[in-house]
Amino acid sequence: MPNLFVVRSNYGQYTPQFIKGGYAAIGWLDEMDLSKIKTREELYPIYEEYHKEKNSLVLGQQVGQISRFLFEIQKGDYVIAQSVNSDHIHYGIVESDYYYELHSKDGCPYPHRKKVKWINELPRNSFSVPFQNTIRSSLTVFKVSQLQNFFSVIGETKFIAPKEGLIEYNYHKTILDRLMELDAKEFEILITHLLAALGFEGTEHTGRPGDGGVDATGELNIAGMAKVKIFVQAKRYKPDSTIKSSDVKALRQNIPRDGQGAFITTAQFDKKSKEVALDANFPRIGLINGNQFVELLAEHWDEIPNEFREKLGLKIGLIPM
């Protein structure tokens, strides 16, 4: 079973060079060829001297990331790097051991490299909520544990562990079936409670005839540093149905230029919907499909009002009572 790692590229700045050059790379200790380093312990005095770093916490974190890149990422492992706008991720397979390339002519200043066969890019929202939360880490090099979700999304089913001899409990379907018992208005109100649990202030249920597709609104104030006004459409459709791009475009027409949108549903989105939602010429729209909605609810279930928890008959972790 290959492992999966994130190798950041300065918030996507150098991802184009990664892709074109067929490698992943890190900085630190820029003027030192590390090919003769064999253990993590050897890196501590080198890093401390090179960066004049005395803080043991910082020293441990940075050496840990360099060591992870040098020793833990192996040939055959998968790596991902975010796109420039962070809405997509690129993934590929490591094809070589470490090599050192100082003063590369491609514009990427990171000299510590491993060759990578980059395969494809996918919208970030193709993956589960736990997966998306994991790759938000501020570290430059780190391991991702949600392998089953990753391999399922990219279609590498040979790496998905079989459940032989077991009757698989379809967790997401069970919860979605419960959610389908809500009527349309109850579902929309549940969405406003979820927005509040996620940190949005002034959440309001706006769904009514002639609302233009906007069922809820809210504002996220990020520690006074930034504010995001969100306009949400909620659709309680059968889990095996598909939201089309025309539905996403209809929501987009009702989002002010300085706002952002979100389309939350119990169903799925077609491929074109994802392209429309991330069109750089229009306000961004986040797409939350049925499985992702279940995962968000599970994460914030204890912040949802009692009457909804009782009506749905679920307890923390979204386990049926």
Side-chain angles (χ1 to χ4, degrees), residues 1 15 28 140 170 198 239 249 300:
M1 171 72 76
T15 297
W28 299 301
T140 298
N170 194 327
L198 289 167
K249 285 181 180 178
H300 298 279

XYZ file of all heavy atoms in Angstrom, residues 1 15 28 140 170 198 239 249 300:
78
model
N 0.844 -1.191 0.000
C 0.000 0.000 0.000
C 0.885 1.248 0.000
O 1.666 1.466 0.922
C -0.893 0.010 1.240
C -1.650 1.311 1.455
S -2.989 1.568 0.274
C -4.214 0.460 0.925
N 3.766 25.343 -7.908
C 3.157 24.126 -8.442
C 3.316 24.024 -9.956
O 3.594 22.928 -10.476
C 1.678 24.029 -8.037
O 1.589 23.932 -6.613
C 1.017 22.815 -8.653
N 14.714 25.154 2.700
C 15.541 24.954 3.900
C 16.938 24.473 3.493
O 17.119 23.841 2.451
C 14.937 23.932 4.873
C 13.592 24.265 5.437
C 13.243 25.359 6.168
C 12.397 23.473 5.314
N 11.909 25.300 6.511
C 11.375 24.157 6.016
C 12.104 22.263 4.697
C 10.073 23.664 6.093
C 10.826 21.767 4.788
C 9.819 22.469 5.475
N 4.586 22.126 5.643
C 4.986 22.054 4.234
C 4.989 20.617 3.720
O 4.592 20.356 2.581
C 6.388 22.675 4.055
O 6.335 24.058 4.421
C 6.853 22.564 2.611
N -23.623 0.897 5.237
C -23.494 2.126 4.464
C -23.890 3.312 5.333
O -25.039 3.714 5.395
C -24.372 2.062 3.208
C -23.996 3.153 2.216
O -23.597 4.253 2.619
N -24.119 2.858 0.934
N -20.546 26.273 12.079
C -19.282 26.461 11.366
C -18.661 27.826 11.638
O -17.551 28.096 11.194
C -19.500 26.292 9.856
C -19.774 24.864 9.375
C -20.281 24.863 7.937
C -18.524 24.010 9.489
N -30.544 10.828 -2.697
C -29.076 10.713 -2.692
C -28.465 10.225 -3.996
O -27.323 10.553 -4.297
C -28.812 9.727 -1.546
C -29.967 9.924 -0.618
C -31.154 10.187 -1.508
N -25.463 27.392 -11.937
C -25.476 28.701 -12.608
C -26.631 29.563 -12.100
O -26.496 30.784 -11.942
C -25.596 28.517 -14.121
C -24.322 28.039 -14.798
C -24.531 27.918 -16.298
C -23.274 27.447 -17.015
N -23.485 27.292 -18.466
N -20.100 18.516 13.695
C -20.699 19.610 14.474
C -22.043 19.233 15.093
O -22.823 20.117 15.451
C -20.868 20.841 13.562
C -19.570 21.372 13.028
N -18.742 22.188 13.760
C -18.949 21.174 11.837
C -17.669 22.480 13.049
N -17.764 21.884 11.883
